[in-house]
């Protein structure tokens, strides 16, 4: 009999604590007032700085600009189409973000309804363009080429996230 009383008391304590925490989460607890205003998170944080610094260091230490101008090992038959396809991706992104969102005021939820092939086309052009650029630059840096291009890509993404 004493064992049943103990388990009932324990069960009531657990239920009470669960109910109190649930009520706190709902905001019905009069002791705790809801926060006045949520703080806006900063666009600049540790991983953003990391990718920007890594991208700048990669650009500097790989001599990418010099290699693109004078290195005879670059396979231009792969690099040009890759650059054009990545450029197509950028143009589609600029169209969706700048023209539709900023200028015309269309919500990003409506992009697929208005232009259903824009996002799949941008995705495919970026993947194929990235692979073409990798093949075009492979003779210069070998197996480091995907790492170099990914680091540069992340630096560009982080720079855009700071601006926008």
């Amino acid at each position: 009999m004493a064992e049943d009383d103990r388990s009932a008391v324990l069960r009531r304590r657990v239920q009470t604590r669960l109910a109190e925490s649930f009520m706190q989460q709902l905001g019905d607890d009069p002791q705790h007032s809801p926060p006045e205003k949520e703080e806006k998170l900063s666009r600049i944080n540790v991983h953003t700085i990391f990718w920007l610094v890594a991208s700048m260091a990669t650009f500097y230490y790989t001599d990418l600009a010099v290699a693109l101008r004078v290195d005879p090992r670059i396979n231009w038959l792969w690099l040009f189409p890759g650059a054009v396809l990545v450029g197509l991706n950028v143009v589609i992104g600029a169209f969706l973000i700048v023209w539709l969102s900023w200028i015309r005021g269309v919500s990003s939820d409506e992009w697929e309804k208005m232009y259903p092939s824009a996002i799949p086309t941008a995705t495919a052009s970026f993947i194929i363009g990235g692979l073409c650029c990798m093949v075009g630059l492979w003779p210069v840096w070998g197996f480091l080429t995907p790492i170099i291009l990914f680091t540069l890509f992340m630096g560009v993404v982080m720079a855009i996230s700071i601006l926008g």
Side-chain angles (χ1 to χ4, degrees):
M1 192 76 177
E3 193 69 34
D4 290 337
D5 290 339
R6 287 184 197 160
S7 65
V9 169
L10 181 63
R11 188 177 315 117
R12 265 189 255 122
R13 284 184 190 167
V14 170
Q15 287 175 345
T16 305
R17 287 184 183 163
L18 285 174
E20 287 174 357
S21 76
F22 183 70
M23 293 303 281
Q24 279 180 342
Q25 289 175 358
L26 288 177
D28 293 338
D29 191 2
Q31 296 174 353
H32 302 289
S33 61
E36 294 292 322
K37 185 178 175 183
E38 288 188 29
E39 293 182 29
K40 188 175 180 182
L41 295 175
S42 174
R43 292 181 182 161
I44 300 174
N45 50 37
V46 175
H47 80 274
T48 303
I49 300 298
F50 167 77
W51 283 113
L52 288 173
V53 170
S55 180
M56 288 186 279
T58 301
F59 185 82
Y60 179 77
Y61 287 111
T62 59
D63 291 330
L64 180 67
V66 175
L68 287 175
R69 279 186 277 144
V70 298
D71 200 325
R73 297 174 291 174
I74 293 177
N75 190 345
W76 292 102
L77 291 175
W78 283 97
L79 191 60
F80 277 143
V84 168
L85 288 170
V86 171
L88 175 65
N89 177 37
V90 170
V91 167
I92 292 172
F95 169 75
L96 292 174
I97 294 168
V98 175
W99 177 253
L100 286 183
S101 292
W102 294 354
I103 296 175
R104 291 198 48 209
V106 176
S107 170
S108 61
D109 297 331
E110 298 177 23
W111 290 351
E112 263 189 85
K113 295 174 190 165
M114 295 177 70
Y115 299 97
S117 63
I119 294 174
T121 302
T123 304
S125 70
F126 181 76
I127 291 171
I128 295 169
L131 291 173
C132 288
C133 287
M134 249 181 261
V135 171
L137 294 172
W138 192 272
V140 180
W141 294 293
F143 71 93
L144 293 175
T145 305
I147 298 167
I148 291 169
L149 291 180
F150 179 75
T151 305
L152 293 172
F153 166 73
M154 287 302 293
V156 169
V157 168
M158 293 301 148
I160 291 172
S161 75
I162 287 176
L163 298 176

